[in-house]
C-alpha cells in the first residue's frame, strides 16, 4: 500500500509527495514511536531543516482549530501526556479556535505575544493562518502544522497522512474485496472540504480499469445519523449495492446500520479506526458473510510526533521538513489487535493512550 | 395579512380545492409525483415510510417552533437542545433498558428548564428572541462540550431504539409519535382558549394585552413547548441512530424554521398552524430524499434544494392569499 508513484494533482500535496524522487527514507515506526501500538510507516521528505539550538525549558503552544469531537479530545490528551514526559518542556498552552477561522488567527497572535518557543497547529483554514504563522517564524518560533497542511512553505516541520494515498489504498482494498467488479456508493465528509476530495480522488484512481460502478457520491458530514439517512435513500434507489467507500468510520457504521434496518446484507466497507465500527464488525461478521472491512486510521498521535520533531529543532538537531505517516490497513485479519470491546464506540483505536487514559476521556 | 386583492386564479374550482386542503399539502403531493416520475424509487411504499420515519425528527422539533413563530418570536436554541439531549440521553442510558425511564424524565426536565430560561430572557428581561435564543444555543453547546470533554460516550438502550427504528403494521413508530404530538398541539392551538390567546398575541400583542390576555405567560409557554418538542425530536433521533454526537443538532437550527415557514406560518406571527408544519416537514424531508436519490453532485443538490423551497413558497402563496 505504500506506493508513492501516483500523480499528485493537488498543489498542497506536492510538498510531501516527493518520496518517489528518492529523497525520502521510509522506516517502520517501531524506533521513532515505540510506545504506540501503531506499525505505521513514516516517510520523511522535503528540505533538510537545521534547528537553532535554544536553551530550555521550552514553552509550547498548540493552536487547535476546534475541539468538538473525540478525535480532537484524544489528540489533545496525547499531546498533554507527551509534554509532561519531557523535563525540558515547562508548559504546554492549548488554545481552541472554536471552528472559527478568525479566532484561530487571534489565538496564534496571542501565543506569539506570550513568546512560546514552538507553535503546533491544526489549521481551520490552510490559507488564513499563513500570515500569523509567518509572524511567529519572524520571532524565531518553530511552526509545526500537523494533521491538515497549510498553504505555502511558511513552516518548519509538518506531520500528517496523505489523504490521496489513503483513499487510493482503501479504494484498492475495496476493488480487491469485490473481485474488481460491483456497484458501490461513496460517502464523504463535509461538502467542499479538501481532505475528502483528495481521498475520493485517490479512490477513483484505484477503481480505474476495473468494473467497479459508482452509483452515487454523497457528503454526510462524517456523522453517523446523516450517513444513516442518506444511505436509507440510496438503498431505496438501488436494488444492488455491493460495497461502500467512505473516509470515516462513523459514516460507515451509520450506512451499515441503514442496510441492516432495510433487511439488506452488509457489504465490504472502508473507513477509519472508529471503535464503534470494529464492534459492529465483530458483532455481525458471523451472520453476514459478505461483511468485510478495509480501514485506515488518521492517527490521534500525530501531534505527539509533531511535538517531538519541534523539540528536535529546538535542541539544535536536523531533520527533513515533511513527514508523511502511512498507517497500516486494518482488515479482518488484524482487527482483533485494534478493537477495544470494553471501551466507548467513540474511541479511535490507533492510539498510544493507555486504557486508563481512554476511560478517563470517555467518562 | 395582505391588503392587496388576491390574484385571479385561472380555474376557480382548482383554487378552492387547494384552499380547502392547504397549499403545503398540494406542494407535498406535487413534489412526490414529480420526483416519482423522475426517480421511480420514490414511488415504493417502503420509501414513503422511510421519508415519514426521518421527517418525524425535524417535524417534531418544528411543532414547537411553530408556536414560537405564531407568537411572533423565533427559537434558535433548538439545535443546542437537540445536541445536549442526545448527549445526556445516551450517557444516562449507557445501552441499558433499566435506565430508560430515568433518562427520559431527566431529559424532559432539562428541556423544561431550558425553555423556562429562554422565556425568562425574552419575557422578563426583554431581550430580542433571536439574540436570547442564539445565546442559549451557544451555552447549551458549550455545556455539551464541557460535559463530554469533546469525547461523547454511551449509547441508547435497545428497547428505546424501537421508537426510532421500529414499525407498527409497517408504519414507522417515530412518525406515529410525531403525529400524536402534532395532533395534540393542533387541537390545543385551534380549539382551546389558550390557542386563541396564542394567535391574538402573535397578531398584535398590544391589542391582545388590552383585551386582558396574559400575553407574557402566552409568550413564555411558546418557548417552553419549543424546548420540549426539540427534546422529544432529539430523543427520537437518538433512538434512530443509537449513539451520541456533538454535531447532531446543528442541522436543525435552520431546517426546523424552514419546515415551519414552508408550511405557511408567517415569521411575523399570528398566521399559520401546526398541521401545516407537518406538511412542511414532510416536504423538506421529501426534497432531501429526492435529491439524495437522483444522480447529481452535492453542489447541484444544495442549489436545487434552495431553489425548490423558494419556488414552492412563492407558487402556493399566491393561492394561500385567497384564503385570507
Amino acid at each position: 500500500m505504500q506506493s508513492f508513484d501516483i500523480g499528485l494533482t493537488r498543489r498542497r500535496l506536492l510538498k510531501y509527495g516527493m518520496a518517489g524522487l528518492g529523497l525520502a527514507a521510509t522506516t517502520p515506526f517501531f524506533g521513532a514511536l515505540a510506545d504506540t501500538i501503531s506499525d505505521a510507516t513514516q516517510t520523511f521528505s522535503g528540505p533538510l531543516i537545521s534547528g537553532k539550538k535554544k536553551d530550555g525549558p521550552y514553552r509550547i503552544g498548540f493552536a487547535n482549530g476546534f475541539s468538538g469531537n473525540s478525535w480532537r479530545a484524544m489528540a489533545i490528551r496525547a499531546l498533554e501526556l507527551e509534554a509532561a514526559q519531557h523535563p525540558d518542556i515547562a508548559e504546554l498552552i492549548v488554545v481552541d479556535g472554536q471552528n472559527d477561522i478568525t479566532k484561530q488567527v487571534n489565538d496564534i497572535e496571542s501565543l506569539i505575544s506570550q513568546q512560546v518557543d514552538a507553535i503546533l497547529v491544526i489549521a481551520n483554514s490552510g490559507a488564513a493562518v499563513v500570515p500569523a504563522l509567518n509572524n511567529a517564524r519572524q520571532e524565531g518560533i518553530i511552526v509545526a502544522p500537523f494533521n491538515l497542511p497549510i498553504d505555502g512553505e511558511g513552516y518548519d516541520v509538518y506531520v500528517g497522512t496523505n489523504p490521496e494515498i489513503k483513499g487510493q489504498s482503501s479504494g484498492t482494498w475495496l476493488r480487491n474485496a469485490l473481485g474488481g467488479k460491483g456497484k458501490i456508493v461513496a460517502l464523504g465528509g463535509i461538502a467542499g472540504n479538501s481532505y475528502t476530495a483528495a481521498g475520493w480522488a485517490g479512490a477513483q484512481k484505484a477503481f480505474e480499469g476495473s468494473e467497479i460502478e459508482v452509483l452515487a457520491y454523497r457528503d454526510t458530514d462524517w456523522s453517523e445519523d446523516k450517513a444513516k439517512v442518506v444511505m436509507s435513500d440510496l438503498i431505496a434507489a438501488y436494488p444492488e449495492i455491493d460495497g461502500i467507500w467512505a473516509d470515516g468510520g462513523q459514516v460507515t457504521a451509520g450506512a451499515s446500520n441503514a442496510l441492516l434496518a432495510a433487511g439488506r446484507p452488509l457489504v465490504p466497507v472502508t473507513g477509519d479506526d472508529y471503535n464503534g465500527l470494529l464492534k459492529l464488525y465483530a458483532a455481525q461478521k458471523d451472520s453476514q458473510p459478505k461483511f468485510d472491512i478495509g480501514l485506515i486510521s488518521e492517527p490521534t498521535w500525530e501531534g505527539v510526533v509533531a511535538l517531538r520533531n519541534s523539540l528536535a529543532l529546538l535542541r539544535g538537531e536536523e531533520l527533513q521538513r515533511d513527514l508523511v505517516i502511512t498507517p497500516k490497513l486494518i482488515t479482518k485479519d488484524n482487527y482483533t489487535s485494534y478493537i477495544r470491546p470494553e471501551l466507548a464506540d467513540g474511541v479511535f483505536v490507533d492510539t498510544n493512550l493507555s486504557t486508563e487514559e481512554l476511560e478517563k476521556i470517555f467518562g | 395579512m395582505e391588503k392587496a386583492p388576491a390574484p385571479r386564479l385561472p380555474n376557480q374550482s382548482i383554487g378552492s380545492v387547494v384552499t380547502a386542503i392547504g397549499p403545503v399539502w398540494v406542494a407535498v403531493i406535487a413534489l412526490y409525483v414529480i420526483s416519482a416520475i423522475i426517480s421511480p424509487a420514490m414511488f415504493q411504499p417502503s420509501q414513503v415510510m422511510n421519508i415519514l420515519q426521518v421527517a418525524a425528527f425535524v417535524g417534531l422539533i418544528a411543532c414547537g417552533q411553530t408556536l414560537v413563530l405564531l407568537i411572533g418570536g423565533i427559537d434558535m436554541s433548538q439545535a443546542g437542545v437537540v445536541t445536549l439531549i442526545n448527549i445526556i440521553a445516551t450517557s444516562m442510558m449507557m445501552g441499558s433498558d433499566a435506565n430508560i425511564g430515568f433518562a427520559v424524565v431527566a431529559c424532559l426536565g432539562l428541556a423544561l428548564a431550558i425553555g423556562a430560561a429562554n422565556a425568562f430572557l425574552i419575557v422578563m428581561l426583554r431581550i430580542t428572541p433571536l439574540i436570547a435564543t442564539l445565546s442559549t444555543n451557544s451555552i447549551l453547546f458549550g455545556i455539551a462540550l464541557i460535559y463530554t470533554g469533546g469525547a461523547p460516550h454511551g449509547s441508547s438502550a435497545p428497547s428505546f431504539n424501537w421508537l426510532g427504528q421500529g414499525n407498527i403494521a409497517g408504519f414507522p413508530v417515530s412518525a406515529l409519535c410525531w403525529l400524536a404530538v402534532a395532533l395534540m398541539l393542533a387541537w390545543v392551538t385551534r380549539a382551546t382558549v389558550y390557542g386563541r390567546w396564542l394567535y391574538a398575541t402573535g397578531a398584535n400583542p398590544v391589542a391582545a394585552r388590552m383585551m386582558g390576555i396574559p400575553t407574557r405567560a402566552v409568550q413564555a409557554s411558546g418557548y417552553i413547548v419549543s424546548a420540549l418538542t426539540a427534546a422529544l425530536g432529539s430523543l427520537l433521533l437518538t433512538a434512530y441512530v443509537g449513539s451520541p454526537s456533538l454535531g447532531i443538532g446543528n442541522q436543525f437550527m435552520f431546517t426546523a424554521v424552514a419546515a415551519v415557514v414552508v408550511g405557511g406560518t408567517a415569521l411575523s406571527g399570528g398566521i399559520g398552524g401546526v398541521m401545516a408544519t407537518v406538511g412542511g416537514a414532510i416536504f423538506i424531508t421529501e426534497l432531501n430524499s429526492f435529491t439524495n436519490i437522483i444522480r447529481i453532485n452535492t453542489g447541484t443538490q444544495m442549489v436545487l434544494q434552495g431553489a425548490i423551497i423558494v419556488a414552492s413558497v412563492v407558487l402556493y402563496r399566491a393561492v394561500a392569499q385567497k384564503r385570507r
Side-chain angles (χ1 to χ4, degrees):
Chain A
M1 70 179 264
Q2 284 88 30
S3 59
F4 286 90
D5 57 344
I6 59 165
L8 288 167
T9 50
R10 303 186 67 82
R11 188 175 54 83
R12 276 200 216 163
L13 292 181
L14 266 175
K15 67 191 176 202
Y16 52 84
M18 301 294 282
L21 300 176
L23 295 170
T26 301
T27 50
F29 233 128
F30 296 121
L33 203 62
D35 51 344
T36 76
I37 63 157
S38 178
D39 37 12
T41 55
Q42 57 174 344
T43 307
F44 277 103
S45 64
L48 203 62
I49 307 288
S50 311
K52 278 184 211 139
K53 190 167 165 42
K54 248 187 184 180
D55 289 331
Y58 308 115
R59 295 166 68 243
I60 311 288
F62 171 36
N64 192 14
F66 85 119
S67 56
N69 64 31
S70 42
W71 193 95
R72 299 282 175 132
M74 289 176 64
I76 292 170
R77 192 69 195 126
L79 251 182
E80 288 171 345
L81 289 173
E82 177 69 17
Q85 279 173 17
H86 293 275
D88 54 352
I89 293 181
E91 194 182 3
L92 175 73
I93 306 167
V94 180
V95 284
D96 185 347
Q98 297 178 356
N99 219 5
D100 180 339
I101 291 169
T102 321
K103 175 160 190 322
Q104 187 171 37
V105 172
N106 289 337
D107 287 347
I108 293 169
E109 299 288 358
S110 83
L111 288 173
I112 296 170
S113 61
Q114 292 176 70
Q115 295 180 307
V116 296
D117 298 295
I119 295 178
L120 311 182
V121 56
I122 305 181
N124 282 335
S125 155
V129 292
V130 167
L133 292 178
N134 281 339
N135 294 345
R137 293 184 86 206
Q138 276 170 12
E139 300 281 329
I141 299 169
I142 299 291
V143 169
F146 70 97
N147 182 236
L148 296 171
I150 63 165
D151 286 3
E153 306 260 310
Y155 60 95
D156 298 290
V157 277
Y158 173 77
V159 178
T161 62
N162 181 327
E164 181 156 357
I165 290 171
K166 278 170 58 172
Q168 191 168 26
S169 300
S170 61
T172 303
W173 175 87
L174 186 59
R175 173 182 171 159
N176 293 337
L178 296 173
K181 188 173 185 232
K183 295 175 177 174
I184 67 154
V185 295
L187 303 172
I190 294 163
N193 87 89
S194 59
Y195 183 88
T196 290
W200 179 229
Q204 283 173 302
K205 269 190 196 129
F207 302 147
E208 273 169 22
S210 74
E211 289 176 65
I212 301 283
E213 184 192 343
V214 180
L215 298 169
Y217 173 92
R218 286 281 164 260
D219 289 304
T220 56
D221 300 350
W222 289 306
S223 75
E224 195 163 342
D225 57 302
K226 188 150 187 214
K228 189 174 178 185
V229 170
V230 168
M231 189 67 187
S232 298
D233 288 330
L234 295 176
I235 288 167
Y238 302 108
E240 183 192 342
I241 296 173
D242 304 314
I244 300 167
W245 182 90
D247 63 352
Q250 279 139 307
V251 171
T252 315
S256 296
N257 278 324
L259 283 172
L260 285 174
R264 296 262 288 259
L266 296 179
V267 295
V269 296
T270 70
D272 64 17
D273 56 328
Y274 173 62
N275 197 29
L277 177 58
L278 291 177
K279 286 190 194 173
L280 182 71
Y281 178 72
Q284 296 288 341
K285 66 181 172 58
D286 292 336
S287 55
Q288 296 279 351
K290 284 188 177 169
F291 195 21
D292 202 352
I293 45 171
L295 315 173
I296 305 177
S297 71
E298 181 69 30
T300 50
W301 42 264
E302 279 172 349
V304 171
V305 184
L307 179 61
R308 289 180 187 180
N309 289 353
S310 305
L311 274 183
L313 291 180
L314 287 171
R315 291 165 182 158
E317 293 167 25
E318 265 186 351
L319 48 84
Q320 272 188 288
R321 188 184 61 187
D322 302 307
L323 174 59
V324 171
I325 292 169
T326 309
K328 193 172 179 183
L329 195 68
I330 302 172
T331 64
K332 63 184 172 196
D333 298 323
N334 64 0
Y335 85 97
T336 49
S337 57
Y338 291 91
I339 189 171
R340 307 298 289 271
E342 77 284 11
L343 292 177
D345 284 5
V347 172
F348 290 98
V349 296
D350 182 4
T351 174
N352 64 331
L353 294 169
S354 67
T355 302
E356 196 190 0
E357 282 298 333
L358 290 169
E359 278 170 351
K360 261 190 239 166
I361 294 172
F362 290 89
Chain B
M1 171 183 69
E2 299 291 337
K3 296 281 183 281
R8 279 225 158 271
L9 290 166
N11 186 325
Q12 208 63 30
S13 64
I14 289 178
S16 56
V17 168
V18 168
T19 306
I21 63 169
V24 68
W25 294 103
V26 176
V28 165
I29 293 163
L31 178 62
Y32 182 67
V33 170
I34 293 167
S35 58
I37 289 168
I38 295 171
S39 177
M42 290 289 287
F43 209 64
Q44 303 163 35
S46 63
Q47 179 60 4
V48 175
M49 292 305 144
N50 180 32
I51 288 171
L52 289 176
Q53 182 179 37
V54 172
F57 315 134
V58 67
L60 199 40
I61 296 163
C63 273
Q65 186 73 254
T66 310
L67 263 63
V68 175
L69 291 196
L70 282 176
I71 55 168
I74 194 161
D75 186 355
M76 304 308 279
S77 69
Q78 288 190 310
V81 174
V82 171
T83 298
L84 189 58
I85 295 295
N86 166 260
I87 296 290
I88 302 275
T90 48
S91 73
M92 289 184 76
M93 286 188 204
M94 291 303 287
S96 165
D97 286 351
N99 302 331
I100 294 175
F102 185 43
V104 169
V105 169
C107 286
L108 294 182
L110 181 63
L112 201 65
I114 295 165
N118 275 335
F120 177 76
L121 293 176
I122 292 158
V123 178
M124 302 304 285
L125 301 185
R126 300 191 182 281
I127 300 170
T128 313
L130 184 76
I131 302 302
T133 55
L134 272 176
S135 308
T136 309
N137 186 62
S138 174
I139 291 167
L140 295 177
F141 184 74
I143 291 172
L145 209 52
I146 293 166
Y147 181 75
T148 60
H153 68 283
S155 60
S156 59
S159 302
F160 184 74
N161 291 348
W162 176 75
L163 290 174
Q165 302 176 11
N167 293 288
I168 295 176
F171 202 83
V173 178
S174 64
L176 291 172
C177 294
W178 168 38
L179 290 179
V181 173
L183 284 170
M184 196 191 76
L185 282 177
W187 176 78
V188 167
T189 52
R190 287 291 182 198
T192 66
V193 174
Y194 166 76
R196 261 172 270 152
W197 287 355
L198 201 75
Y199 279 89
T201 303
N204 189 338
V206 178
R209 204 173 307 126
M210 289 163 87
M211 283 160 62
I213 294 172
T215 52
R216 286 176 149 199
V218 169
Q219 284 172 331
S221 71
Y223 290 96
I224 290 169
V225 172
S226 176
L228 281 173
T229 65
L232 291 173
S234 176
L235 288 173
L236 282 190
L237 181 61
T238 302
Y240 176 74
V241 69
S243 62
S245 162
L246 284 164
I248 200 163
N250 297 352
Q251 55 182 312
F252 297 107
M253 183 183 276
F254 291 109
T255 53
V257 177
V260 182
V261 173
V262 165
T265 297
L267 281 168
S268 49
I271 294 165
V274 173
M275 289 321 284
T277 298
V278 171
I282 293 176
F283 183 85
I284 298 249
T285 311
E286 198 181 10
L287 181 59
N288 278 336
S289 180
F290 170 55
T291 54
N292 276 335
I293 283 176
I294 54 175
R295 292 183 186 229
I296 48 170
N297 61 36
T298 308
T300 314
Q301 186 178 12
M302 292 165 85
V303 170
L304 208 59
Q305 286 172 355
I308 290 177
I309 288 174
V310 170
S312 66
V313 172
V314 169
L315 274 176
Y316 70 63
R317 191 172 59 186
V319 182
Q321 278 170 354
K322 190 178 163 53
R323 192 166 45 162
R324 297 178 181 125

